[in-house]
Amino acid sequence: EIVLTQSPGTLSLSPGDRATLSCRASQSVSSSYLAWFQQKSGQAPRLLIFGASSRATGIADRFSGSASGTDFTLTISRLEPEDFAVYYCQQYGMSPEVTFGQGTRLDIK
Amino acid sequence: EVQLLESGGGLVQPGGSLRLTCAASGFTFSRFATTWVRQAPGKGLEWVSGIGGSGTDTYYADSVKGRFTISRDNSKNTLYLQMNSLRAEDTAVYYCAKDQISGDGIWLMSHWGRGTLVTVSS
């Protein structure tokens, strides 16, 4: 099973700041099958990024994803008030060994 | 518009059973693999079970294998999760979700329902 470790656990920033969230996989993720989700309190997760760097439909271009080996990054270039939420990474693929990271909480400073 | 609506959650005693239902609309249900994901109170996301579009192929997390059964009725555009021998640690919001692309399933969940709460307690 691939273990995904997200850091930091909590990130406190202000609107307008740049946010950098990390997700490290315990082994190689095939075909960069890594996704990022945003979850606001009381709501279902929302797909932001898939394939490590492709934005899902309707996602603002301030959200971007990148990969370097087993390290994946979600960057929010300029935080809007509605971006403060919990973010999860997830690895997927043909094998149903789907795993999520433990989440990063993005708080307003 | 894709819609997924879960129902069937509630309070059940340890050792009891419950069946969750997810009604799907807005897409060709039989073409897409679908998934159950749960979230314990205050915790992260856990993939529970997945099923291919035809219903032939099913997959389970080790934590529920042998206790939960996923199924689907493509004529009714409905996904099910039969949960038996429930434990306190099964307490969670259960979400159904559909794959982003049609096919056998890559388990990339592009659309999610609002979830249904299952509480296992005496």
Side-chain angles (χ1 to χ4, degrees):
Chain A
E1 175 185 292
I2 297 176
V3 176
L4 300 177
T5 302
Q6 292 187 240
S7 61
T10 302
L11 186 59
S12 296
L13 294 170
S14 301
D17 287 347
R18 179 185 185 91
T20 303
L21 288 67
S22 175
C23 175
R24 173 166 289 177
S26 60
Q27 56 188 280
S28 177
V29 175
S30 63
S31 303
S32 291
Y33 280 171
L34 193 285
W36 290 93
F37 292 87
Q38 176 194 67
Q39 188 179 33
K40 298 180 181 179
S41 181
Q43 297 185 17
R46 178 174 70 144
L47 178 64
L48 298 175
I49 300 286
F50 64 95
S53 61
S54 297
R55 274 189 299 276
T57 303
I59 301 303
D61 60 7
R62 65 180 181 274
F63 292 91
S64 63
S66 63
S68 177
T70 57
D71 291 331
F72 299 86
T73 301
L74 174 69
T75 300
I76 311 172
S77 60
R78 189 174 172 84
L79 285 166
E80 298 287 344
E82 62 267 28
D83 298 337
F84 292 92
V86 180
Y87 292 83
Y88 295 94
C89 58
Q90 178 226 337
Q91 66 88 18
Y92 59 96
M94 301 306 290
S95 165
E97 292 182 357
V98 175
T99 52
F100 291 92
Q102 82 278 20
T104 289
R105 179 179 301 277
L106 181 54
D107 284 344
I108 298 178
K109 192 173 184 179
Chain B
E1 179 191 3
V2 172
Q3 291 194 343
L4 299 163
L5 184 61
E6 304 93 338
S7 61
L11 175 63
V12 61
Q13 292 189 339
S17 297
L18 213 55
R19 188 175 84 155
L20 304 184
T21 297
C22 174
S25 62
F27 64 103
T28 306
F29 182 66
S30 62
R31 292 178 57 194
F32 291 84
T34 46
T35 298
W36 289 98
V37 175
R38 69 184 179 184
Q39 186 170 36
K43 302 297 183 181
L45 301 169
E46 180 188 14
W47 182 86
V48 173
S49 182
I51 186 168
S54 67
T56 302
D57 298 317
T58 59
Y59 308 93
Y60 300 93
D62 287 344
S63 58
V64 306
K65 201 172 293 183
R67 300 188 298 123
F68 289 13
T69 302
I70 191 171
S71 62
R72 63 194 296 158
D73 185 337
N74 287 342
S75 68
K76 297 181 178 179
N77 289 349
T78 302
L79 175 71
Y80 304 99
L81 186 67
Q82 177 67 43
M83 304 186 295
N84 298 331
S85 303
L86 282 161
R87 307 166 179 166
E89 54 265 35
D90 296 318
T91 294
V93 173
Y94 285 73
Y95 296 101
C96 72
K98 70 171 283 290
D99 251 35
Q100 184 190 48
I101 63 173
S102 61
D104 295 332
I106 60 168
W107 321 111
L108 171 62
M109 287 76 79
S110 61
H111 295 81
W112 298 62
R114 290 189 166 189
T116 186
L117 176 62
V118 172
T119 303
V120 184
S121 174
S122 55

